[in-house]
Amino acid sequence: MSTEPALGDLSAAVLARGGELRAGGTDTTARQRSGVSPGPFTDLGGAGPLRGCTQLRGGGLRIGALTTLAALADDPQVRAGWPALALSAGSAATPQIRAAGTVGGNLLQRNRCWYYRNPHVSCLQKGGTGCPAREGDHHFGVVSGDGPCITPHPSTLAMALLTYDAEAEIHGESPRPVADLYGDGDRLFHADHLLPPDRILTAVQLPAPLPGERAAYHRATSRAHGEWPLVEAAVRLAFDGATVTHAAVAAGGVARVPLRLPEVEAALIGRAATPEVLAAAAATVLTRCRPLPQTAYKTGLFGNTVLEALERATGPAAVG
């Protein structure tokens, strides 16, 4: 049975009630509890056809938006064909969050800025006129870009999906690149994505994997478990012998949007993946860095995190 009428009804319900959609509820529940998002909420949980992974013609993969992070990380076909995504999903948050959190919820979640999360503080994200983090405590803020809002985008999956040039399925529309959900970040000061409230993200589509590709994921956190990353990176590489023929590198935790890093990719393609080449490629991210007073530490951490991911992708521990 088609899910189209049901999804259309859900969209209409959200518009009529003035609330928002809720998937796994891990973020919306936290915001509701803090008083930032009072609701009402329209649950997507009953839309079963939005769950699971389906092979596409040509070797690609469709992942339903209600697929949990745990299911994505444990899916054998995802682990075999799209390992950067599986590794990223399996590293996000905690086992409890991964068991409930969904692909769509992760892509469309709200940021973790404590000023935004405080119902008694006005900020751009809540329709205010200023960013209190800019003059306040912003040591978890961005190190790349300097838009009106300075909190990093929180989606680990979005970062990984950028390395696959994945597309987002939106109910009633043609698929669009996942990157288009966020733009360049200049417009993300009243929200954390560009999807209108009457639109439903139904799935993401990934192209066929490259033969013999290798992948890695690395995150730097301030404590060992259950922490949001300060910086994270996902890497996909393909080789002809020792020479890199394809590179896709992305980073999170450093900007208002998940970042694809074409400068790193260009420094790798056509070269042997020697330690010197990897170090030089990772160092190219420094040209992006425009640290705030309290985020200067992220400059070196950004380069080191990308380098660690590159080294893992080219070492014996690489997945592929």
Side-chain angles (χ1 to χ4, degrees):
M1 180 181 297
S2 172
T3 63
E4 292 297 301
L7 293 178
D9 291 344
L10 288 171
S11 295
V14 171
L15 287 176
R17 299 172 67 193
E20 62 181 297
L21 293 166
R22 178 166 54 195
T26 60
D27 182 31
T28 51
T29 299
R31 287 188 278 114
Q32 184 180 31
R33 186 168 56 245
S34 70
V36 174
S37 297
F41 299 100
T42 300
D43 286 307
L44 285 168
L50 300 187
R51 302 181 189 275
C53 301
T54 306
Q55 286 283 342
L56 300 174
R57 289 184 179 181
L61 189 71
R62 181 185 187 273
I63 303 171
L66 292 185
T67 305
T68 66
L69 304 189
L72 186 65
D74 293 337
D75 190 300
Q77 62 184 336
V78 179
R79 293 167 66 92
W82 298 268
L85 183 59
L87 291 169
S88 300
S91 299
T94 65
Q96 294 85 355
I97 294 295
R98 293 194 293 272
T102 65
V103 171
N106 189 273
L107 295 179
L108 303 178
Q109 66 185 297
R110 299 307 304 267
N111 69 80
R112 259 60 196 177
C113 177
W114 37 56
Y115 295 102
Y116 164 69
R117 297 272 167 170
N118 187 329
H120 306 295
V121 176
S122 174
C123 77
L124 289 166
Q125 289 282 322
K126 292 180 286 188
T129 58
C131 176
R134 188 176 292 276
E135 300 300 328
D137 189 341
H138 58 259
H139 69 271
F140 289 155
V142 301
V143 72
S144 177
D146 189 27
C149 177
I150 60 171
T151 188
H153 199 278
S155 179
T156 291
L157 290 193
M159 176 208 62
L161 288 169
L162 291 184
T163 67
Y164 290 101
D165 296 311
E167 292 190 321
E169 287 185 16
I170 310 299
H171 171 64
E173 300 181 7
S174 300
R176 66 177 75 172
V178 166
D180 286 358
L181 294 175
Y182 313 108
D184 60 8
D186 288 344
R187 296 165 59 194
L188 295 187
F189 51 89
H190 291 312
D192 293 290
H193 59 80
L194 300 176
L195 193 66
D198 63 333
R199 294 290 184 267
I200 298 177
L201 175 69
T202 57
V204 293
Q205 296 182 11
L206 291 88
L210 298 171
E213 71 173 76
R214 297 161 67 86
Y217 168 82
H218 181 61
R219 60 168 45 196
T221 60
S222 58
R223 62 184 182 184
H225 301 290
E227 183 63 282
W228 296 96
L230 301 171
V231 181
E232 58 186 341
V235 172
R236 295 175 59 221
L237 299 175
F239 296 87
D240 181 2
T243 301
V244 178
T245 57
H246 178 86
V249 184
V254 295
R256 274 298 291 143
V257 295
L259 291 179
R260 183 78 178 259
L261 303 174
E263 66 274 23
V264 178
E265 299 164 4
L268 293 167
I269 295 173
R271 295 174 173 85
T274 64
E276 295 76 17
V277 167
L278 298 183
T284 62
V285 303
L286 301 182
T287 61
R288 288 181 175 265
C289 293
R290 301 290 187 273
L292 300 164
Q294 296 173 17
T295 64
Y297 74 95
K298 279 194 176 186
T299 300
L301 193 59
F302 188 3
N304 290 339
T305 301
V306 171
L307 178 58
E308 177 69 25
L310 290 174
E311 290 175 342
R312 292 187 181 192
T314 57
V319 178

